[in-house]
């Protein structure tokens, strides 16, 4: 954004502030200055002169010897070769020792034997083009207007003494993409008054509603649409002052009507467009989505093919502009235009950005719209345009204005706590000084509430308000302080401690930690073999996914782990032992955020079996002192092998599942080896951890008593069921239970197995008698016989 410093004087006063001082101060208040340049820095000692006489050179058929009045005591003699030089003209004269753009130095000397004390210049030699002049200069020297003062600096005549500050405007500050916005920042920085005069103009006969109709078909993409009509338009060049300001801002002057829209764009930051009303079929404007494949020729005379996601301004028959990007060639302002429709609208930022990117157009308008503009700005901007029409005497403003609102957001309310702001900044700024800053920034204060202006979409929270206070209080005034201990405690939460312990335990077992994306393809559910009625198929869909492969949030981490195992297998890794602590996303009530469920996922293949992954889980439980764990056979989970899978129950709650991957799932993931995965609920594990409640007891002084158990039992009965019965029957006196042997084969029926245990009994306060040990033995045997149908061997 280029800011001519003279333009600031319309809204605030910085008289006496040098460009360097201005750049330094405004940068310190948060507006980054890229550089400052003087438009006429390359021109020096070029003045207005008057040709008093012009005679042919005595030794040349094309040179002329001119006597030129440059405001000094005596006229100077200049030899000029331009065909259009003549007596009585006022011309630009580069004096002896002058400088022109490109580093050209002018010195006196002889031309064909005649002394020349300077040079009469053409427009291009001074870097002045037709847009700054307001007309196309003839070939040869530049003839200046008669009112130009002899001896005056040429830079003053063409506004080349202007200092222009170039700003880098961040995307969160669309208000600073305007002269008024930067003037507001300037006034707040220098503590000067700031005032934007309300546009005033006279409305002539006629009624806009009799001349044009406006309809918004898509009120989500068009937040507001404002229109006015100007009749009896006279197309002509803009006045000198307007051309100079536009040129200094980097905008080429075209004609008065187009220049007015560009002037308001720069001044108010509100893009505008002017339509020739003759070209609007049916005298109607309809803001709608483009039809699929609809084509519009834009002002650059290029055909643009549109989609149904693009917003257009249309008349009764066709599109006449791409909303927020560029007008159509079919409704441009022409030399014989007599009636125009001014448009001042607010379009959705994302819609404009995507359309501009897709059609390959990025204009001054789209650059502003895509950052999010203020819908309250459309009316002041269009009124300013009408005021300029009256000031330039280029038309008559018709009575009335069409102003239609779309769907807009409610204003933000932020709590005002001065003590919190001071604590955040490490300052001691008074509430009165803060309110003074807010007043300068037009932030409304009502009691303990702050209401940012609609042109400041970046002010959303208390921290944003604190930044505004810091900016204008002065970063350099904030005292340097040492950090307090409270800011560097850095302790972990209980959940983080549990996570660290799990990670350390698994890493110690030779496993590698991985990180995977939380979004995936809906096809993962099919690859895992999930039935149609599975709740895991109820996934949160992403509104704007990068593609189908990343369009839903995962409800299980099994697919993510199997993807990594597959990648390792297909890259010829002999084995892999991996784990991840991530999140799955379980949908909740309609309109509510999903439950982000922390999950521990394990996966391995190559030289491992079920007991390896079970052992890894048991080591985690051992580290966290989780004791009450049961394993139950699982035969109906389609992702896992029906005979080599177990669900994990901790303290009576489902904690997860471990097992071998189903062969069909392995084929879908192109894994040619047995693979094992496990998925555990982190919350259940964390809540069951007893590490925070460890109690120490002294070693007992009393001896232990051991008994052996050898039973025949159904072959399908899990060992875990046997141990559960034995522990319940023996009670607390059973201190150790060791599985010695499981035997099937000769002398054992095919549907039976022989199981041998060694049990250890011990009392903490006495020596157990043989009778007590026998009673415990009998209780265990009775439980096994009655509850599991076992036979004692």
């Amino acid at each position: 954004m280029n800011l001519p410093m003279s333009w600031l004087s319309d809204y605030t006063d910085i008289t006496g502030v040098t460009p360097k001082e201005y750049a330094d101060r405004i940068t310190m208040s948060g507006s980054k200055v890229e550089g400052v340049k003087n438009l006429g820095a390359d021109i020096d000692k070029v003045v207005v002169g008057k040709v008093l006489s012009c005679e042919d050179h005595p030794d040349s058929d094309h040179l002329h010897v001119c006597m030129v009045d440059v405001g000094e005591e005596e006229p100077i003699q200049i030899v000029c070769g331009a065909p259009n030089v003549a007596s009585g003209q006022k011309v630009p004269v580069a004096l002896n020792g002058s400088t022109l753009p490109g580093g050209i130095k002018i010195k006196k000397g002889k031309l064909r034997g005649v002394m020349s004390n300077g040079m009469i210049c053409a427009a291009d030699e001074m870097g002045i083009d037709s847009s700054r002049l307001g007309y196309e200069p003839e070939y040869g020297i530049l003839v200046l207007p008669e009112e130009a003062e002899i001896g005056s600096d040429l830079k003053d005549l063409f506004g080349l003494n202007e200092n222009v500050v170039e700003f880098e405007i961040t995307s969160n500050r669309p208000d600073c993409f305007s002269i008024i916005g930067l003037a507001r920042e300037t006034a707040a920085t220098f503590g000067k008054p700031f005032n934007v005069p309300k546009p005033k103009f006279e409305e002539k006969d006629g009624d806009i509603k009799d001349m044009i109709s406006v309809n918004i078909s898509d009120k989500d993409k068009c937040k507001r649409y404002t229109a006015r009509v100007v009749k009896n338009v006279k197309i002509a060049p803009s006045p000198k002052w307007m051309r100079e300001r536009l040129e200094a801002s980097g905008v080429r002057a075209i004609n008065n009507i187009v220049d007015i829209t560009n002037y308001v764009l720069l001044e108010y930051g509100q893009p505008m467009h002017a339509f020739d009303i003759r070209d609007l079929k049916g005298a109607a404007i309809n803001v709608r989505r483009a039809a699929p494949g609809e084509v519009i020729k834009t002002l650059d005379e290029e055909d643009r093919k549109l989609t149904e996601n693009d917003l257009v301004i249309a008349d009764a028959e066709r599109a006449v502009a791409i909303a927020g990007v560029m007008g159509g060639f079919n409704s441009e302002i022409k030399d014989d235009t007599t009636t125009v429709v001014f448009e001042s609208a607010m379009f959705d930022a994302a819609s404009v950005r995507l359309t501009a990117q897709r059609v390959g157009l990025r204009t001054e308008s789209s650059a502003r719209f895509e950052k999010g503009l203020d819908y309250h700005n459309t009316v002041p901007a269009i009124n300013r345009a009408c005021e300029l029409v009256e000031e330039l005497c280029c038309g008559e403003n018709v009575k009335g204005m069409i102003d239609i609102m779309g769907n807009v957001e409610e204003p933000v309310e932020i709590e005002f706590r001065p003590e919190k702001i001071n604590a955040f900044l490490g300052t001691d700024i008074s509430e009165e000084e803060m309110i003074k800053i807010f007043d300068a920034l037009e932030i409304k204060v009502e009691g303990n509430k702050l209401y940012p202006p609609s042109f400041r979409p970046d002010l959303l929270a208390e921290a944003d308000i604190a930044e505004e206070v810091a900016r204008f209080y002065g970063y350099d005034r904030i005292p340097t302080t040492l950090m307090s201990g409270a800011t560097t405690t850095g302790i972990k939460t209980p959940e983080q401690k549990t996570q660290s312990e799990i990670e350390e335990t698994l890493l110690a077992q030779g496993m590698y930690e991985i990180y995977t994306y939380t979004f995936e393809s809906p096809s993962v559910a099919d690859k895992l073999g999930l039935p149609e009625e599975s709740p895991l198929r109820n996934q949160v869909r992403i509104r704007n996914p990068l593609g189908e492969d990343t369009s839903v949030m995962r409800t299980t981490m099994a697919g993510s782990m199997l993807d990594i195992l597959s990648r390792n297998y297909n890259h010829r890794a002999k084995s892999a032992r991996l784990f991840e602590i991530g999140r799955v996303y379980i949908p909740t009530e309609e309109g509510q955020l999903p439950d982000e469920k922390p999950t521990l996922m394990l996966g391995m293949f190559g030289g491992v079996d079920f007991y390896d992954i079970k052992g890894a889980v048991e080591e985690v439980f051992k580290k966290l002192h989780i004791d009450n764990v049961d394993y139950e056979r699982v035969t109906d989970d389609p992702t896992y092998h029906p005979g080599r899978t177990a669900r994990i129950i901790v303290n009576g709650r489902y904690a997860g599942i471990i097992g071998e991957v189903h062969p069909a799932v392995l084929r879908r993931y192109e894994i040619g080896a047995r693979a094992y995965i496990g998925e555990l609920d982190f919350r259940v594990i964390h809540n069951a951890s007893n590490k925070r409640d460890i109690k120490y007891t002294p070693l007992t002084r009393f001896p232990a008593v051991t008994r052996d158990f050898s039973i025949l039992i159904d072959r399908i009965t899990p060992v875990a069921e046997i141990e559960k019965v034995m522990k319940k029957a023996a009670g607390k006196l059973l201190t150790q239970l060791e599985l010695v042997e499981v035997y099937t084969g000769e002398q054992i029926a095919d549907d039976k197995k022989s199981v041998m245990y060694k049990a250890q009994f011990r009392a903490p306060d006495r020596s157990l008698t043989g009778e007590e040990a026998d009673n415990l033995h009998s209780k265990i045997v009775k439980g096994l016989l009655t509850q599991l149908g076992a036979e004692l061997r």
Side-chain angles (χ1 to χ4, degrees):
M1 174 73 187
N2 291 333
L3 170 69
M5 289 189 65
S6 64
W7 206 338
L8 287 174
S9 62
D10 290 358
Y11 311 105
T12 190
D13 180 21
I14 55 169
T15 304
V17 178
T18 66
K20 184 180 186 308
E21 182 184 355
Y22 177 79
D24 291 342
R25 291 278 298 276
I26 202 75
T27 297
M28 284 300 295
S29 67
S31 300
K32 184 182 179 184
V33 173
E34 287 290 292
V36 181
K37 65 178 180 180
N38 184 280
L39 296 180
D42 294 336
I43 301 176
D44 184 41
K45 293 183 67 175
V46 180
V47 300
V48 176
K50 183 175 182 178
V51 180
L52 300 178
S53 64
C54 181
E55 298 179 358
D56 292 338
H57 192 287
D59 194 26
S60 172
D61 59 356
H62 70 280
L63 295 177
H64 307 279
V65 179
C66 303
M67 295 302 295
V68 184
D69 181 2
V70 292
E72 297 179 355
E73 292 183 2
E74 298 289 336
I76 62 173
Q77 178 176 284
I78 296 177
V79 177
C80 178
N84 64 328
V85 65
S87 178
Q89 294 174 336
K90 288 189 176 179
V91 294
V93 178
L95 302 174
N96 178 42
S98 62
T99 304
L100 295 177
I104 299 173
K105 300 284 187 178
I106 304 299
K107 296 182 178 180
K108 65 180 181 179
K110 289 184 178 181
L111 291 175
R112 297 280 182 97
V114 176
M115 178 61 68
S116 180
N117 296 292
M119 184 176 78
I120 301 176
C121 302
D124 59 348
E125 290 172 327
M126 297 177 294
I128 299 174
D129 59 17
S130 59
S131 62
R132 184 174 290 277
L133 293 171
Y135 60 89
E136 193 68 40
E138 61 180 304
Y139 175 75
I141 61 167
L142 175 63
V143 180
L144 301 177
E146 183 60 33
E147 60 269 20
E149 183 180 348
I150 296 174
S152 62
D153 192 334
L154 189 82
K155 292 190 287 186
D156 292 332
L157 182 63
F158 289 108
L160 295 176
N161 267 326
E162 179 70 76
N163 291 304
V164 177
V165 183
E166 182 184 356
F167 286 91
E168 178 186 331
I169 309 299
T170 54
S171 59
N172 67 323
R173 290 301 304 275
D175 60 304
C176 287
F177 261 100
S178 68
I179 304 299
I180 289 176
L182 290 173
R184 184 185 293 109
E185 291 284 307
T186 299
T189 299
F190 288 88
K192 299 290 185 178
F194 171 73
N195 179 52
V196 180
K198 185 177 181 180
K200 296 179 181 179
F201 58 93
E202 183 181 355
E203 293 181 319
K204 300 293 185 179
D205 295 336
D207 189 335
I208 187 174
K209 294 181 181 177
D210 297 331
M211 305 178 73
I212 194 76
S213 65
V214 177
N215 175 61
I216 300 179
S217 298
D218 191 332
K219 292 192 174 184
D220 287 327
K221 290 194 173 186
C222 181
K223 310 293 185 180
R224 191 173 191 175
Y225 195 95
T226 307
R228 279 190 177 274
V229 171
V230 179
K231 65 179 182 178
N232 298 329
V233 170
K234 301 177 184 65
I235 302 298
S238 298
K240 177 175 174 290
W241 64 267
M242 179 175 281
R243 295 197 309 270
E244 288 177 356
R245 283 189 170 182
L246 290 174
E247 287 287 334
S249 301
V251 177
R252 184 179 179 84
I254 299 174
N255 60 53
N256 47 15
I257 294 297
V258 175
D259 290 351
I260 284 172
T261 62
N262 288 333
Y263 190 89
V264 174
L265 166 75
L266 295 171
E267 188 173 41
Y268 279 71
Q270 172 61 47
M272 288 187 61
H273 189 67
F275 298 101
D276 188 328
I277 201 168
R278 297 174 302 179
D279 298 323
L280 297 178
K281 306 295 184 182
I285 288 177
N286 182 27
V287 187
R288 61 169 173 82
R289 294 196 183 202
E294 186 172 2
V295 177
I296 180 175
K297 179 181 283 188
T298 47
L299 287 172
D300 58 356
E301 300 188 42
E302 293 286 338
D303 288 334
R304 312 283 178 180
K305 189 174 182 181
L306 306 176
T307 71
E308 63 273 17
N309 292 322
D310 299 322
L311 192 70
V312 297
I313 313 301
D315 58 20
E317 297 179 6
R318 73 274 161 85
V320 294
I322 304 176
V325 182
M326 184 177 281
F329 185 74
N330 54 16
S331 62
E332 70 170 344
I333 301 300
K334 296 169 278 292
D335 290 341
D336 62 345
T337 297
T338 58
T339 306
V340 301
V341 178
F342 277 141
E343 165 195 284
S344 179
M346 162 64 170
F347 302 114
D348 178 66
S351 174
V352 172
R353 179 178 61 81
L354 292 172
T355 295
Q357 184 180 42
R358 199 184 54 73
V359 301
L361 274 175
R362 196 167 192 274
T363 61
E364 290 284 346
S365 293
S366 68
R368 285 166 171 80
F369 274 122
E370 67 187 29
K371 290 172 176 60
L373 298 182
D374 176 16
Y375 69 91
H376 287 299
N377 203 26
T378 62
V379 172
I382 204 169
N383 287 341
R384 174 60 168 155
C386 291
E387 182 181 48
L388 289 170
V389 166
E390 188 174 279
E391 184 177 342
L392 272 56
C393 301
C394 59
E396 297 177 355
N397 297 301
V398 174
K399 287 182 179 179
M401 175 179 68
I402 295 176
D403 186 26
I404 303 176
M405 294 292 293
N407 299 326
V408 296
E409 298 176 356
E410 293 297 321
V412 175
E413 179 183 276
I414 302 174
E415 189 173 1
F416 178 34
R417 297 182 292 176
E419 69 285 353
K420 184 72 174 179
I421 293 175
N422 278 320
F424 184 73
L425 299 176
T427 55
D428 188 21
I429 306 171
S430 68
E431 181 176 343
E432 291 73 19
E433 189 167 357
M434 291 184 189
I435 293 176
K436 184 179 178 181
I437 292 172
F438 299 151
D439 288 342
L441 298 175
E442 300 181 34
I443 299 172
K444 189 176 180 181
V445 182
E446 290 185 1
N448 65 341
K449 298 294 182 183
L450 297 175
Y451 298 91
S454 53
F455 57 78
R456 290 296 303 274
D458 59 311
L459 302 182
L460 299 173
E462 203 169 3
D464 300 323
I465 295 297
E467 182 182 7
E468 297 304 293
V469 173
R471 286 202 302 133
F472 294 104
Y473 175 75
Y475 291 117
D476 54 328
R477 294 175 61 194
I478 297 176
T480 302
T481 57
L482 294 174
M483 291 188 295
S484 65
T487 63
T488 57
T489 51
I491 62 172
K492 290 184 177 181
T493 64
E495 291 79 6
Q496 290 171 328
K497 290 179 180 178
T498 298
Q499 179 172 336
S500 296
E501 289 167 349
I502 292 174
E503 292 168 349
E504 292 168 3
T505 302
L506 295 175
L507 289 170
Q509 296 181 70
M511 300 185 73
Y512 290 88
E513 186 173 10
I514 63 171
Y515 293 93
T516 59
Y517 291 120
T518 56
F519 34 80
E520 61 188 15
S521 169
S523 64
V524 170
D526 296 327
K527 294 178 72 174
L528 293 176
L530 301 178
E532 291 298 324
E533 66 277 6
S534 173
L536 296 179
R537 284 185 176 270
N538 181 23
Q539 298 165 309
V540 176
R541 297 199 65 85
I542 300 173
R543 287 183 179 178
N544 56 340
L546 297 175
E548 182 67 15
D549 289 344
T550 55
S551 61
V552 296
M553 305 302 291
R554 65 189 179 192
T555 53
T556 171
M557 292 177 65
S560 302
M561 178 58 73
L562 287 170
D563 275 335
I564 305 303
L565 292 178
S566 173
R567 185 176 305 168
N568 278 268
Y569 178 82
N570 286 287
H571 280 74
R572 300 186 179 181
K574 294 182 179 180
S575 63
R577 297 166 66 90
L578 313 172
F579 76 93
E580 177 182 8
I581 299 178
R583 294 181 183 274
V584 296
Y585 298 81
I586 309 301
T588 53
E589 298 179 7
E590 187 68 26
Q592 301 296 317
L593 293 174
D595 177 21
E596 300 186 22
K597 185 178 176 182
T599 301
L600 168 62
M601 190 74 205
L602 300 90
M604 55 183 68
F605 74 82
V608 295
D609 59 17
F610 174 83
Y611 295 104
D612 287 285
I613 194 166
K614 180 173 181 284
V617 172
E618 287 177 336
E619 282 299 313
V620 169
F621 291 160
K622 182 179 178 182
K623 177 72 173 181
L624 298 177
H625 294 264
I626 299 175
D627 302 320
N628 190 12
V629 181
D630 293 315
Y631 296 88
E632 298 177 354
R633 184 192 301 271
V634 175
T635 60
D636 57 354
D637 192 310
T639 304
Y640 293 84
H641 192 292
R644 301 166 187 153
T645 303
R647 70 173 55 90
I648 304 172
I649 308 298
V650 175
N651 294 335
R653 293 186 59 188
Y654 175 80
I657 186 171
I658 56 172
E660 183 177 324
V661 181
H662 197 287
V665 176
L666 290 174
R667 286 193 296 272
R668 296 186 195 109
Y669 279 92
E670 299 180 356
I671 301 175
R674 286 186 175 182
Y676 300 84
I677 60 175
E679 190 168 15
L680 286 79
D681 189 325
F682 179 86
R683 291 172 182 163
V684 174
I685 297 173
H686 171 70
N687 292 334
S689 174
N690 294 318
K691 187 157 187 177
R692 295 176 297 278
D693 301 314
I694 296 175
K695 295 180 180 178
Y696 296 91
T697 57
L699 295 174
T700 180
R701 297 181 289 110
F702 304 100
V705 179
T706 59
R707 291 289 187 273
D708 293 333
F709 296 85
S710 182
I711 60 173
L712 282 175
I713 199 166
D714 290 340
R715 192 166 186 171
I716 62 173
T717 302
V719 168
E721 285 294 319
I722 301 173
E723 294 181 357
K724 185 185 297 185
V725 170
M726 296 178 72
K727 290 176 181 177
K728 185 176 179 180
K732 295 182 179 181
L733 294 179
L734 177 62
T735 56
Q736 185 176 330
L737 186 63
E738 179 185 352
L739 177 62
V740 178
E741 179 185 68
V742 177
Y743 174 74
T744 58
E746 294 182 7
Q747 301 178 353
I748 302 295
D750 292 340
D751 60 344
K752 299 289 184 180
K753 61 183 174 183
S754 173
V755 182
M756 179 180 292
Y757 275 98
K758 178 177 287 187
Q760 183 184 88
F761 306 104
R762 191 196 301 266
D765 55 350
R766 67 185 190 282
S767 296
L768 290 178
T769 64
E771 183 179 355
E772 288 178 309
D774 291 341
N775 287 335
L776 291 171
H777 182 274
S778 299
K779 287 181 179 180
I780 292 174
V781 171
K782 182 178 179 182
L784 292 172
L785 297 179
T786 58
Q787 296 180 43
L788 300 179
E791 301 175 26
L792 193 63
R793 291 193 70 188

